[in-house]
Every structure is written in structure tokens, then in C-alpha cells.
Amino acid sequence: MPMNSVVAAEFSIGFSWSGLKKCTSGNPNRVNNPKFTLKSVPTGTTRIDFKMKDRNVPSYNHGGGKVKYKSGSSIARGAFKYKSPCPPSGKHTYEWTATARDAKGKKLAVAKARKSYP
């Protein structure tokens, strides 16, 4: 690689279950999204689409949301609602996928973050 070439940092996200009401009944609640931390959001991003998947039960749709993006390194809690993690027995691993899109809806980058719950 030439010395003067620049490698773009990879788009990434982080989140915490902090503040989420405990749910282990198998019947998810409709709740506010967690606060997301963002790193290296691609230039030209005007929207970020979020979707959550239970890696133990990938067929279950927890939903997500679309958030307008202007700048910054976080998405506030409460920007959209989704179905909370709520495994009926033991821990499950949940994965958030964030897709950065430009004004025309073109996908610019995808970031994923996983955590177990509860």
C-alpha cells in the first residue's frame, strides 16, 4: 500500500441495554430504541436504518426504525420504537444492524453490534 493512501475507517455502532425494563416472558414490549454510538459514519449519510434480530430466533421480527442523520456520534434513545428483547428462557444474543443511506436511499455502509440479554 502506498504511504500516502488513506484507508477509510469502518462504520461501526455500539449500544447498551441500560434503562430497558427486564423482560423474560417471551412477549416483547414496544419500547424506545437504545442510545446508539456511531463511529465513522460515511460522508453523505442522510438516514440510518436500524433493525434488530434475535440470533437465537432469527425468524422473529423485532422491527427497528429509520432515523434522519445530519451529524454527530450518537442516536438518542427514543428516536423510534421496536419490540424489546424478551427471551422466554435463558439468554439470547441480539444483533442490531445499522444501514447508512444517502439522500437517494443508496446504501453507503452497514454496521452491526451484538449483545446478549438479559
Side-chain angles (χ1 to χ4, degrees):
M1 180 183 309
M3 297 269 298
N4 62 353
S5 68
V6 177
V7 176
E10 192 170 336
F11 176 41
S12 65
I13 62 170
F15 72 96
S16 164
W17 297 127
S18 177
L20 182 65
K21 181 181 173 187
K22 189 170 183 182
C23 183
T24 55
S25 66
N27 295 308
N29 300 302
R30 191 120 178 100
V31 297
N32 289 328
N33 65 281
K35 178 181 177 183
F36 291 99
T37 56
L38 311 171
K39 288 186 181 162
S40 303
V41 177
T43 301
T45 298
T46 60
R47 185 181 91 210
I48 301 176
D49 299 346
F50 291 91
K51 185 160 181 60
M52 189 177 84
K53 180 181 278 191
D54 180 340
R55 301 297 299 171
N56 299 81
V57 187
S59 61
Y60 187 83
N61 183 4
H62 281 272
K66 297 177 181 190
V67 179
K68 288 182 182 178
Y69 179 79
K70 291 186 177 146
S71 66
S73 60
S74 67
I75 299 295
R77 182 178 165 99
F80 62 88
K81 293 206 180 273
Y82 74 106
K83 293 178 186 175
S84 70
C86 194
S89 58
K91 288 184 183 273
H92 282 198
T93 299
Y94 294 86
E95 180 177 74
W96 278 103
T97 300
T99 305
R101 297 190 182 275
D102 69 11
K104 293 182 179 179
K106 179 184 172 195
K107 179 172 36 173
L108 301 175
V110 175
K112 295 182 182 221
R114 291 182 184 181
K115 286 192 185 301
S116 62
Y117 180 91

